[in-house]
Amino acid sequence: MNHFKSIVTAAALAMSAGIAQAESLSLEGGGNASLTGIVPQTYAQFTADEGLSLQVVLGQTLSRSALKLAAGRIDMAVVPPGAYRAMSRGVGPYAKQADQAKELAPNIRSLFAFPAGTFHPIVWADAGIEDWADLAGKRVYIGPPAGTASSQIKSLIELGSGGLKAGDDYEGVRAPWGAAQQSFQDGQFDAYFGSIAVGSQALNELSLQRDIRILGVSDEVRASEAWQTFLVEAAQFESVIAAGTYSGQVNGDMDKVSTASAMMMGVHATMDDETAYALTKAYWENLEAMMNANALMRSINPEKPFAGMNASLHTGAVRYYEEAGIAIPENLKPM
């Protein structure tokens, strides 16, 4: 496995800013091509001003990171709302340890929400796959071995195709995010559903090597009740891959609609209020600078700070939002 791991240490930045003995916190994120990796990596560069040094490890399976966070083995993690919901119920990736998962789930608190990568349903332009129905009988990458992404991708395929099911109508292939694009290039599967920030340079380079086609969700599907239910239950929201985004996309003359997952920045409930407050402040008061530092973060909407969030806010984060005059949804207020 070629898991991309990056350790981002803000201690040097803290020293240059005159901050001594910065508190060190461990933070796990996802793939470097997704905002689940880009946000933590960029965020870590701005927390030093609050006296916080983030040790960021990327390339993690986020459902596992969520469980580690709940158990107090790490300080922070990017947590998919779907994983948190599954943990609370002891189902999905936590079914084999259901009692433990349900007991630990209340230990997770949230600071803020942001979108993850957009699902890009990619096939080679010359593969004879022009629509969702053409995935029948094919080998399709459906996400990492563990986690909630696989169920989201399978549901997306079922809706987009009008009923194709993994195992019955196509072969669903699981592999780590970090190895998936290279495996697609090597011909190990016919379709690649990557969770990627729109405009990713790596994907643009792939399209320049060999023409690609991106499958988009039809207006008819998007108008259905089943689609709206899927968006809510899977903590997804519509995301547009704009026309002309990728140079080698043969059907790139029109916008393609897909979905993106909501993500939460999670911390343990026992984190002290001052630290949680400072972490929340560091994110929101530097978001514009982070967007300027990495254009892929511009898909974050500051007007929707709680989009998709389902874990109660940490009390330190609550204090920041109250001081900033931001209304907090009732379901996110700590009990």
Side-chain angles (χ1 to χ4, degrees):
M1 296 186 299
N2 293 320
H3 283 234
F4 178 87
K5 293 187 177 181
S6 175
I7 307 298
V8 180
T9 307
L13 292 176
M15 290 176 63
S16 65
I19 301 172
Q21 297 179 336
E23 181 181 358
S24 181
L25 301 169
S26 55
L27 166 58
E28 290 193 355
N32 64 304
S34 164
L35 288 180
T36 60
I38 292 169
V39 168
Q41 196 170 27
T42 309
Y43 175 48
Q45 300 173 37
F46 291 87
T47 58
D49 288 342
E50 300 298 329
L52 301 169
S53 171
L54 302 188
Q55 310 296 320
V56 182
V57 181
L58 301 184
Q60 304 303 294
T61 299
L62 297 180
S63 59
R64 292 175 181 166
S65 296
L67 191 60
K68 289 167 67 177
L69 174 64
R73 292 167 55 195
I74 55 178
D75 299 304
M76 304 174 64
V78 175
V79 178
Y84 176 73
R85 182 183 297 110
M87 187 188 302
S88 300
R89 299 174 179 174
V91 298
Y94 309 104
K96 293 182 179 180
Q97 46 193 329
D99 291 341
Q100 180 190 25
K102 288 189 286 185
E103 181 181 352
L104 291 174
N107 292 336
I108 293 179
R109 295 289 186 273
S110 57
L111 300 181
F112 53 83
F114 63 92
T118 293
F119 284 131
H120 284 60
I122 303 167
V123 299
W124 298 119
D126 57 3
I129 303 173
E130 298 188 1
D131 204 347
W132 296 84
D134 296 329
L135 295 175
K138 305 298 185 182
R139 286 172 54 84
V140 181
Y141 174 75
I142 57 171
T148 56
S150 289
S151 61
Q152 293 168 338
I153 293 172
K154 287 188 291 185
S155 295
L156 184 58
I157 293 172
E158 184 173 351
L159 287 165
S161 66
L164 293 182
K165 295 183 180 295
D168 295 331
D169 303 303
Y170 65 91
E171 181 182 353
V173 182
R174 298 191 183 202
W177 289 121
Q181 184 167 310
Q182 185 59 52
S183 296
F184 176 57
Q185 290 178 263
D186 294 342
Q188 294 186 31
F189 29 81
D190 305 298
Y192 165 45
F193 280 68
S195 178
I196 304 167
V198 175
S200 164
Q201 184 58 30
L203 186 51
N204 197 53
E205 290 174 0
L206 174 70
S207 75
L208 290 172
Q209 295 171 23
R210 182 178 172 187
D211 286 349
I212 63 171
R213 183 185 307 278
I214 295 178
L215 305 179
V217 181
S218 70
D219 292 342
E220 180 181 2
V221 170
R222 291 169 57 211
S224 69
E225 183 177 343
W227 177 254
Q228 298 306 318
T229 299
F230 163 68
L231 293 178
V232 173
E233 293 185 349
Q236 300 276 293
F237 54 90
E238 291 188 356
S239 179
V240 176
I241 303 170
T245 297
Y246 302 110
S247 300
Q249 181 187 344
V250 295
N251 61 341
D253 57 332
M254 296 179 62
D255 292 352
K256 297 297 177 184
V257 177
S258 185
T259 64
S261 299
M263 290 289 157
M264 306 182 290
M265 184 60 71
V267 298
H268 197 274
T270 58
M271 175 178 281
D272 68 271
D273 281 7
E274 288 302 320
T275 300
Y277 175 89
L279 287 166
T280 308
K281 176 183 177 183
Y283 178 77
W284 289 112
E285 298 195 358
N286 292 288
L287 182 56
E288 184 175 355
M290 287 190 279
M291 289 177 172
N292 290 334
N294 194 319
L296 296 178
M297 288 185 63
R298 292 175 186 165
S299 60
I300 296 173
N301 185 351
E303 301 300 318
K304 296 182 178 181
F306 309 117
M309 188 183 289
N310 60 357
S312 297
L313 287 163
H314 192 286
T315 49
V318 168
R319 179 161 69 90
Y320 174 79
Y321 290 116
E322 288 179 343
E323 289 179 2
I326 298 172
I328 299 172
E330 286 297 324
N331 66 306
L332 297 181
K333 293 180 179 179
M335 299 297 292

